[in-house]
Amino acid sequence: MEFLVSAAIGLLTASGLYLILRPTTFSVVLGLTLLSYAVNALIFVGGRLGASAPPLILPGTSGHADPLPQALVLTAIVIGFGMTAYLVALALKAKGESGSDHVDAGEER
Amino acid sequence: MSHLPILPVLIPFLTAGLLLATHGMRTAARRAVSSASLVALVVVSLLLLSEASDGIIRVYRLGNWPGPFGIVLVADRLAALMVTLTAMLAAAGLLPALSGTDNQGRHFHVFFHLQIAGLNGAFLTGDLFNLFVFFEILLLASYALLAHGGGLPRTSAGLAYVVLNLVGSALFLIALGLTYGTLGTLNMADLALVLPKVASGDQALVRTTVALLAAVFVLKAALLPLGFWLPHVYTAATIPVAVLFVIMTKVGIYALLRVSTIGFVTAPFTADLLQPWLAWLAIGTIAFGSLGALAATRLSVVVANIVMISSGTLLLGIAAGSMTGHAAMLYYLVNTTVVTAGFFLLADRVSRQRGAATDVFEKGPRMAAVFATGGAYLILAMAASGVPPLSGFLGKIMVMQSLQETSTAVGAWTALLLSGFVVALVLARAASTFFWEPGRADQEAPTREPILKASSNAASTETALIGMIGCALVITLGAAPISAYTRATAGQLAQPAAYVDAVLGDSSEIGRERRP
């Protein structure tokens, strides 16, 4: 399972990076979204992989799930979502002002 | 427990909320609220500075949770210094905005105060994840502030800036995820305790993690291969925003300094992490900034490149890794922040007085107040290029002295001296165009659209400019007490044990479950 999860995170990161390096803002936004998925998954498994660890500490149980990565990943998701929304708005504004979806559309040439 | 350490975060945060809630308010009332909050912030930061100067590290535990489980704010000498510098810079940025640029877009004051809250939070927090959260707060506010005023150049610069910083944030999160996964803590003081105990099998992973953290910080500080965004962004912003942005590169430098002095040095496998590359990249940054200044065709671009040069100089101080290096670099930090902020204000003044020629290096109409502007230009140019006797010279000499013992001393000295020469040359060339080659008053207006929108009513901009020049002179005349403070700060940084004691106290012995 460790290999599967880490390979999935690696694949997501690689695809995200590839898309970020594309010249249109739409692919950049998609790439950043993929990258943030990869990051969120990585933070989440920072609390170790486990299928049946109890989420609460009850008398008589041991090896409960680590609650901190869950809190961290929640914060990261919210921030990532807000930032992506802002980026989409900014990309639309750039497209409206320059008439092009190219990332360098507003550059002086 | 005194509530003072949280006030520099709380005041701007509440102000931003208040301004957002009462959005229908008249402009005059909005400006009054914004200014009053800033005055309160300046007072609180000065109080914090005077409290911190006794050398006691004050820890504010939110919700009174004991460390390392609770969230802490730590007000030591370094944090207090940075908070005070932020408050001064915010005042210098807000004043010119009051003269009209704040109405060029919506919610200027809201974002301005949010950015201050993010900055102060980043300087005060004692927890890596909260550092990330405050980074995001200040970045989100900076995205909106950069776009303030509108226009395609700003949108385009903003797009690149946002994408770059989102990738930076992703890297930061990866580093945090790995830190928590390997070390089991994100509290900076706890990090210092845990790092030396890392099992030898995990050391490579931890080293990579820490290197990722450093990469994120130097991205914010605009170190060479990651610094190409800086001149573009700073020149696209409106003047008040550019002034406040001067402190943004210093956040990266602060974070690198903080984490390296508390965390990196405590374990042998991370202590030498910065040594092999930081100094050379810093020298490269100085060289790139100097070339950028030589190639610039307008004053604001030159100033943006001076910000880059100063980033390189500051990172040289960190790369030295010694107490004298830190002390020198902190004095230079105070000086360069004030001087470059003042120079952005001066670029605005020049461009206002030259009409359509703005601050481009070409013949323009004769300036009205040529002696006042020229005098201000002379003082700031001397301080920025490091010509004696002003503070820029003192700061550079201190940094150079602290580098004497390091292996990169020859390269660093060459870079610092040459960059000073180049900046002096560029600024002198610009001055001779601005002040000695005035064209006719009825000269044809160039077709180029001004990037810097000159403010309409200038009285408050003048006040801010005079204030910054005054600060530069105070830093020069008060060099002894200020450098005594920065030396004491460096001394405090050299004793991570005191920081750990203050944050964790007795709770450092709390037994923690061994992680698989």
Side-chain angles (χ1 to χ4, degrees), chain B residues 433-513:
Chain B
T433 313
F434 286 155
F435 302 110
W436 290 338
E437 292 177 19
R440 298 192 316 278
D442 58 340
Q443 197 180 17
E444 210 174 301
T447 48
R448 201 182 284 105
E449 191 189 343
I451 293 183
L452 293 171
K453 268 188 196 159
S455 27
S456 49
N457 170 10
S460 53
T461 317
E462 313 285 273
T463 318
L465 179 57
I466 294 168
M468 283 290 108
I469 292 174
C471 283
L473 294 178
V474 165
I475 295 168
T476 308
L477 295 175
I482 294 175
S483 64
Y485 184 89
T486 59
R487 263 200 306 278
T489 309
Q492 205 171 40
L493 288 175
Q495 314 248 315
Y499 186 97
V500 173
D501 259 0
V503 174
L504 297 180
D506 310 328
S507 56
S508 60
E509 295 307 314
I510 291 178
R512 254 167 290 166
E513 205 175 309

Side-chain angles (χ1 to χ4, degrees), chain B residues 272-312:
Chain B
D272 62 339
L273 193 77
L274 302 176
Q275 294 308 325
W277 52 272
L278 187 60
W280 289 112
L281 288 184
I283 290 170
T285 311
I286 294 174
F288 181 77
S290 310
L291 290 178
L294 270 179
T297 53
R298 58 196 319 159
L299 186 57
S300 49
V301 180
V302 173
V303 183
N305 280 296
I306 294 177
V307 174
M308 198 147 176
I309 295 173
S310 69
S311 253

